[in-house]
Amino acid sequence: MKAIRAATYGVFYRLPVGMRRWIVRRAVPKYVVGAVCLVRDSDADGERLLLLRQPPGRGWSLPAGLLERREAPIVGAARELAEESGIRLRPEELRPAVPNAIVHARGWVDVVFEASVPASTTTLEVDGAEVYEAAWHRLDDLPKLTRATAKLLAYYGIGPLTDQPGPWAALKP
């Protein structure tokens, strides 16, 4: 089953972005809502962030995924965090990020939540199919990020795009 799942993800992530969006829109015809987790290392005073390397493996991203039908965003965020990193938190242990919802062009909405866990006592578990690797990274020394992750992190003043023009610039004091 794991091999089939890995092959399916491999094929899906090799498709052009437009085709992947088309497939997702057919499965979720009205709109696409994702749940995202910004997980900081409480041992490092929040100066480290949990990132994942997922297929096709060209950049690092945040734990995230699409909500299931009728699933509350906070429940979906906790579920995705557990599925992709092995970190099991109850929904009430997550807190809404500010801003909580990021609306992207083309009908995509990310609902973002934050959490802090001690990296020293937190075991990261990945399945090797949906996620290749999970690791903690210093905010001042982030690895190559996916473009979507870099854009999303900019809303929170994190990463390489924070000083560039974009919709996140309106949120700066």
Side-chain angles (χ1 to χ4, degrees):
M1 184 60 122
K2 189 175 178 179
I4 292 170
R5 190 166 171 228
T8 302
Y9 274 108
V11 168
F12 179 77
Y13 282 108
R14 284 188 190 97
L15 295 172
V17 172
M19 186 172 286
R20 292 194 316 246
R21 280 194 187 113
W22 183 87
I23 290 169
V24 169
R25 287 183 191 275
R26 293 307 152 266
V28 184
K30 295 186 180 184
Y31 56 90
V32 177
V33 179
V36 181
C37 287
L38 290 169
V39 183
R40 296 176 188 259
D41 176 6
S42 61
D43 290 339
D45 294 325
E47 293 300 313
R48 291 194 324 161
L49 187 66
L50 177 67
L51 294 172
L52 310 175
R53 195 170 60 81
Q54 298 177 279
R58 295 188 185 105
W60 290 77
S61 60
L62 296 165
L66 298 177
L67 294 180
E68 296 175 357
R69 292 190 188 279
R70 293 182 216 79
E71 183 177 41
I74 199 164
V75 172
R79 175 183 53 76
E80 286 293 339
L81 180 62
E83 287 175 4
E84 295 184 348
S85 72
I87 297 175
R88 296 183 191 327
L89 297 177
R90 295 182 317 275
E92 55 271 16
E93 294 177 278
L94 299 173
R95 57 192 180 280
V98 177
N100 183 228
I102 306 295
V103 179
H104 305 282
R106 301 180 185 157
W108 192 282
V109 178
D110 282 322
V111 184
V112 185
F113 296 91
E114 295 182 297
S116 294
V117 299
S120 62
T121 58
T122 301
T123 302
L124 300 176
E125 299 172 11
V126 298
D127 64 11
E130 184 178 2
V131 178
Y132 294 148
E133 183 179 5
W136 298 97
H137 296 275
R138 291 197 50 80
L139 296 180
D140 60 1
D141 189 27
L142 293 174
K144 179 184 178 203
L145 301 171
T146 65
R147 184 78 177 152
T149 298
K151 285 180 174 181
L152 190 132
L153 286 175
Y155 282 95
Y156 304 97
I158 301 170
L161 300 181
T162 56
D163 293 329
Q164 294 184 11
W168 48 85
L171 301 174
K172 292 183 182 176

